[in-house]
Amino acid sequence: LTVFIFSFPYLLRSEKAHTSMSKKGVNDNVKVMVRVRPFNNKEINEAKGLGRELPICTVQCPNETTIVCINAEDESDTHSFGFDWVLWSMTQIQAGVPFVDQPEVYEKVGLPMLEASFEGYNGCIFAYGQTSSGKTHSMMGYADAGRGITPRLCEGIFERIEAHVLCVD
């Protein structure tokens, strides 16, 4: 699991931004999302070496805000955790929510940050997780449609700057 923590701005640059921010609740400044990545080749090969087609999946996603962690030795031992969003990107196992790809991750995470930045807010996206949990995949991604949040944010920044310059000229 990769956990993303989004901090929406505290520093206000305009009266308009101040007015819209004051209408929001105190807890609206920080959003927490978790993304469930697919099994990688190493994990699949290790499972096959143990006679299984796929590794044991120890998480379930019953809805878009909850992850249920399951003890592999005792499936009745479960713990539920709530988030602002749960993004299921595992291709090998179905969940109770739709599959989310890189463009959809950007729409959920990066685009609101981009829009807030152009309204005068500061913000931060913090990716947290253990080694091989999918942080780099989510933030940087791969070429073309597999681009992650960071390249898409950079493209969005320059597109908006260019659009603003064209409007002013």
Side-chain angles (χ1 to χ4, degrees), residues 2-150:
T2 298
V3 177
F4 293 98
I5 301 170
F6 312 99
S7 173
F8 285 93
Y10 295 101
L11 178 64
L12 305 174
R13 287 195 177 157
S14 68
E15 189 59 37
K16 177 185 170 196
H18 176 70
T19 304
S20 66
M21 190 66 164
S22 64
K23 293 179 184 176
K24 296 181 180 180
V26 173
N27 293 327
D28 287 345
N29 289 343
V30 175
K31 301 290 181 194
V32 180
M33 174 199 77
V34 63
R35 184 179 192 189
V36 181
R37 67 157 175 81
F39 291 124
N40 61 35
N41 289 335
K42 180 183 179 213
E43 293 163 335
I44 292 170
N45 290 335
E46 286 174 357
K48 287 181 180 177
L50 297 171
R52 293 192 298 260
E53 186 174 331
L54 289 173
I56 296 171
C57 183
T58 58
V59 295
Q60 291 178 347
C61 184
N63 59 55
E64 292 181 342
T65 60
T66 307
I67 283 282
V68 178
C69 295
I70 306 160
N71 183 335
E73 276 93 45
D74 179 7
E75 291 186 13
S76 66
D77 182 13
T78 63
H79 299 279
S80 295
F81 300 93
F83 297 91
D84 290 299
W85 303 294
V86 175
L87 303 177
W88 188 267
S89 296
M90 183 175 284
T91 54
Q92 298 96 343
I93 296 175
Q94 296 285 346
V97 296
F99 175 83
V100 177
D101 60 6
Q102 294 285 65
E104 292 170 292
V105 171
Y106 172 72
E107 286 176 22
K108 201 65 138 160
V109 180
L111 195 53
M113 184 67 65
L114 179 67
E115 290 171 356
S117 296
F118 276 88
E119 289 177 11
Y121 295 105
N122 293 329
C124 174
I125 300 174
F126 178 74
Y128 177 82
Q130 69 185 43
T131 301
S132 297
S133 63
K135 300 176 299 293
T136 302
H137 172 72
S138 295
M139 293 305 296
M140 296 305 295
Y142 304 98
D144 302 320
R147 292 180 328 281
I149 296 168
T150 303

